[in-house]
Amino acid sequence: MRQWSLQGKKSGKSIALVPTMGYFHEGHLSLMRMARAIADSVAVSIFVNPTQFAPNEDLDKYPKDIKRDIGLAASIGIDCIFLPDNDAMYEKGFQTWVQVEELSQGLCGKSRPHHFRGVATVVLKLFNIIMPDIAVFGQKDYQQLKIIERMVKDLNLPVKIVPHPIVREPDGLAMSSRNSYLSPQERKSALCLINSLKIAQKSFNEGIVHPDTIRAKMRHEILANKNAKIDYIFIGDADTLKETDTIGDGTLIALAVWIGTTRLIDNIII
Ligand code: PAF
């Protein structure tokens, strides 16, 4: 992998990386197209990173179709796919972690306390191995994006982080590999995430600026679905990820909701 990157760099090529866990959907492909448009060479990593999953989570059933992924990446003109195995990424005796402290604590960090330590660590490892000039991250994982941006600043990494807007299904559901877990009934219920965010935006447009009022409206919309359970609804500052007591332009509204046994996330910036 390093040799490929060093060769590209020697010949003056810029390298963009799209880090993924595979099982590509249109969201991943959009990130790849963006990377293709802004760099000379594009590498995509596919690695289902075990250290960002808790023991009770879906690591073992995380969907996989490497052959299909390689075909899709090739159709976009990706130059290189990095497909390491667990032993290559985490050698016996591994014990070094990257912890982006405050930003990792709220939102998804509350119910997934070790998740972002795993994400930051594996992303730094990918940066060190692939040495990209640019890395593209989707805004659906908004907290992840902020954590990676912070890590890049704090550790002086020579990588430009480029965010990509959320890619949605025609009915508004944010694209996610985990959508493949949903039954037809759950797929219908999953629309409560985007619908509650739309209600939040509409309420703000009508002059409501109090987070509790908007949260109550969102909760009502979500819990109208018997199979939905709210993990969190966050309303706050889009940079610090701290809750605020009033909503304004630029406020982040982010949520995680269980639909049956599938945990989905989504967000908007007001
Ligand atoms: O967003 C993801 O798919 C993963 O968290 C990432 C960034 C590839 C790290 O494993």
Side-chain angles (χ1 to χ4, degrees):
M1 184 64 242
R2 274 251 171 81
Q3 254 165 29
W4 179 85
S5 296
L6 286 171
Q7 247 163 27
K9 281 178 188 293
K10 248 193 219 153
S11 47
K13 286 185 178 164
S14 59
I15 299 172
L17 167 66
V18 182
T20 80
M21 299 205 298
Y23 207 66
F24 295 156
H25 50 66
E26 187 49 40
H28 296 110
L29 304 185
S30 303
L31 304 190
M32 291 180 210
R33 281 189 208 102
M34 182 183 240
R36 182 68 287 162
I38 58 181
D40 300 320
S41 299
V42 181
V44 171
S45 61
I46 302 177
F47 180 59
V48 183
N49 173 34
T51 65
Q52 67 189 74
F53 290 80
N56 58 334
E57 292 182 344
D58 57 341
L59 174 63
D60 292 339
K61 68 165 188 173
Y62 199 83
K64 260 197 193 76
D65 192 341
I66 295 294
K67 255 196 188 155
R68 180 174 158 273
D69 284 353
I70 291 174
L72 287 168
S75 73
I76 294 187
I78 296 313
D79 301 288
C80 169
I81 296 186
F82 180 52
L83 195 63
D85 62 24
N86 279 350
D87 293 344
M89 289 300 275
Y90 295 104
E91 279 182 27
K92 200 164 171 278
F94 184 90
Q95 53 185 291
T96 305
W97 299 99
V98 182
Q99 180 89 42
V100 179
E101 296 196 345
E102 273 180 34
L103 288 173
S104 300
Q105 282 166 17
L107 294 89
C108 293
K110 276 195 184 147
S111 58
R112 307 185 76 191
H114 301 296
H115 174 66
F116 291 114
R117 180 183 86 152
V119 170
T121 302
V122 82
V123 170
L124 179 59
K125 285 168 68 66
L126 292 169
F127 286 177
N128 283 337
I129 295 165
I130 302 169
M131 299 179 291
D133 303 285
I134 299 168
V136 184
F137 286 84
Q139 278 178 332
K140 183 172 77 73
D141 297 295
Y142 188 87
Q143 186 176 14
Q144 168 172 287
L145 169 67
K146 289 289 130 181
I147 286 169
I148 299 302
E149 285 175 350
R150 188 73 249 173
M151 176 182 81
V152 162
K153 272 194 200 136
D154 290 354
L155 299 182
N156 311 88
L157 305 178
V159 184
K160 182 174 180 219
I161 303 301
V162 176
H164 187 286
I166 297 177
V167 181
R168 299 183 179 281
E169 300 286 356
D171 62 5
L173 180 68
M175 288 194 183
S176 163
S177 303
R178 292 191 168 102
N179 292 349
S180 65
Y181 299 153
L182 301 171
S183 70
Q185 182 52 46
E186 289 171 339
R187 172 65 183 74
K188 281 186 196 149
S189 304
L191 283 179
C192 69
L193 281 91
I194 182 61
N195 288 342
S196 71
L197 290 168
K198 283 182 184 163
I199 287 170
Q201 177 69 63
K202 185 166 173 283
S203 306
F204 172 75
N205 294 347
E206 289 165 1
I208 301 175
V209 293
H210 201 275
D212 285 348
T213 315
I214 295 217
R215 212 178 264 117
K217 285 172 180 279
M218 293 176 72
R219 207 174 271 141
H220 185 260
E221 172 69 21
I222 295 163
L223 298 181
N225 299 277
K226 282 206 184 83
N227 50 8
K229 206 176 110 211
I230 298 170
D231 178 356
Y232 68 81
I233 298 176
F234 169 88
I235 301 181
D237 187 280
D239 287 321
T240 61
L241 304 187
K242 297 253 190 269
E243 296 205 334
T244 46
D245 45 19
T246 180
I247 299 177
D249 280 334
T251 297
L252 169 70
I253 306 194
L255 75 171
V257 176
W258 287 94
I259 304 291
T261 54
T262 305
R263 186 175 174 280
L264 300 177
I265 57 173
D266 201 349
N267 68 80
I268 54 165
I269 295 195
I270 292 286

